[in-house]
Amino acid sequence: MEEYIKGYCEDFEFSQTEQIFQTVSGIDINIDIFEAWKEINGLKHYREKAFVALTKGEKTYECVFYDEHNYKYLFFSVTIKEKSYLLFRKTLYGFTLLDTDTLTETYNYIPENIKNGEESFIITGVNQLGELLIFDGCYWAAPYECYVYDYEKKLFANVSTALGVDSLEEIEIKDDTLYLSGDVFSDDDESKRIQKTVSAKELDKLISENGVKEI
């Protein structure tokens, strides 16, 4: 993932602007943030990168994040097959799973369409329902949506679209059920707030019928 992204930042001169410390799932996280501007063909371009160090006991994990912007709310604890992981983004797109015991990467996902210069879904929040991961986020400058992700099948399904929610407002998980609230838009640009519920079993069926590899 880094090899693909770092080309964005190669010719920029960076200066450090901020340092963030936090602890998630017993892991100490240190983030050094750097910013840069460069004029290209008369236009100013902004780039950002951060050196990230995670420490747990004697173990350390280090990497570089690019153009991320949301470091304080970037790391999410998830459990898959009774194993604990940190889920986070190194860029605006895709995600990484880090084993919290060994501090080693077990999975990196970067959408193929991003490599082709196209847009993809930006994950901004993570919830969990059983073994399923529930992502909220959006395409660039678009309404918020909810996707469910089956790690074993490596399939995504758009829950918002399937349930008729045009703009996601809130997600809640309770009693083995996913609750979504959001707006539905009519042809005359009027909106109506609705709430939808879907069980874990229904989500699994939704993935089987509508799941895709890319988002």
Side-chain angles (χ1 to χ4, degrees):
M1 185 182 291
E2 293 93 334
E3 289 299 319
Y4 164 67
I5 294 295
K6 71 180 182 181
Y8 290 166
C9 303
E10 280 182 349
D11 298 327
F12 286 73
E13 294 184 11
F14 288 87
S15 58
Q16 186 164 2
T17 59
E18 190 177 2
Q19 189 173 45
I20 296 175
F21 300 97
Q22 57 183 274
T23 300
V24 179
S25 296
I27 299 172
D28 295 323
I29 302 171
N30 178 68
I31 305 173
D32 293 305
I33 302 171
F34 297 80
E35 298 178 353
W37 287 89
K38 182 180 180 181
E39 186 170 309
I40 303 175
N41 297 326
L43 296 175
K44 287 242 178 179
H45 291 255
Y46 174 82
R47 286 288 178 260
E48 183 177 288
K49 67 179 179 180
F51 293 104
V52 181
L54 280 67
T55 305
K56 185 176 183 180
E58 299 297 319
K59 302 181 183 69
T60 300
Y61 166 86
E62 296 179 330
C63 68
V64 181
F65 290 2
Y66 293 96
D67 291 346
E68 183 46 58
H69 313 312
N70 193 27
Y71 303 98
K72 292 181 180 178
Y73 308 100
L74 186 61
F75 294 90
F76 302 92
S77 298
V78 300
T79 302
I80 301 172
K81 300 297 182 185
E82 299 183 353
K83 281 284 295 177
S84 176
Y85 300 91
L86 278 187
L87 187 151
F88 54 87
R89 298 187 324 238
K90 293 181 184 179
T91 74
L92 277 177
Y93 308 100
F95 66 89
T96 294
L97 286 176
L98 187 80
D99 187 312
T100 58
D101 291 326
T102 62
L103 296 194
T104 55
E105 292 182 12
T106 61
Y107 183 59
N108 266 314
Y109 168 73
I110 185 167
E112 286 294 329
N113 46 342
I114 288 298
K115 299 177 185 179
N116 297 330
E118 302 168 358
E119 274 297 322
S120 187
F121 188 74
I122 302 168
I123 297 168
T124 58
V126 180
N127 286 274
Q128 190 161 10
L129 182 55
E131 291 290 309
L132 300 176
L133 301 179
I134 311 296
F135 295 141
D136 59 270
C138 63
Y139 284 78
W140 190 259
Y144 269 69
E145 296 178 303
C146 174
Y147 277 84
V148 59
Y149 179 66
D150 187 314
Y151 175 74
E152 188 172 354
K153 297 176 182 176
K154 301 295 188 293
L155 288 177
F156 299 89
N158 189 327
V159 181
S160 306
T161 298
L163 299 181
V165 179
D166 295 323
S167 180
L168 180 69
E169 186 68 26
E170 187 177 4
I171 287 177
E172 183 180 6
I173 294 176
K174 185 172 60 175
D175 300 329
D176 203 33
T177 302
L178 171 64
Y179 296 82
L180 299 183
S181 63
D183 294 322
V184 176
F185 302 115
S186 61
D187 293 336
D188 56 5
D189 292 331
E190 292 291 325
S191 65
K192 178 183 178 182
R193 180 59 53 85
I194 63 170
Q195 186 179 74
K196 296 285 187 175
T197 62
V198 56
S199 68
K201 184 176 181 179
E202 290 170 325
L203 282 174
D204 189 62
K205 181 180 179 182
L206 194 153
I207 291 175
S208 298
E209 294 178 351
N210 303 287
V212 295
K213 291 286 186 181
E214 295 293 331
I215 57 172

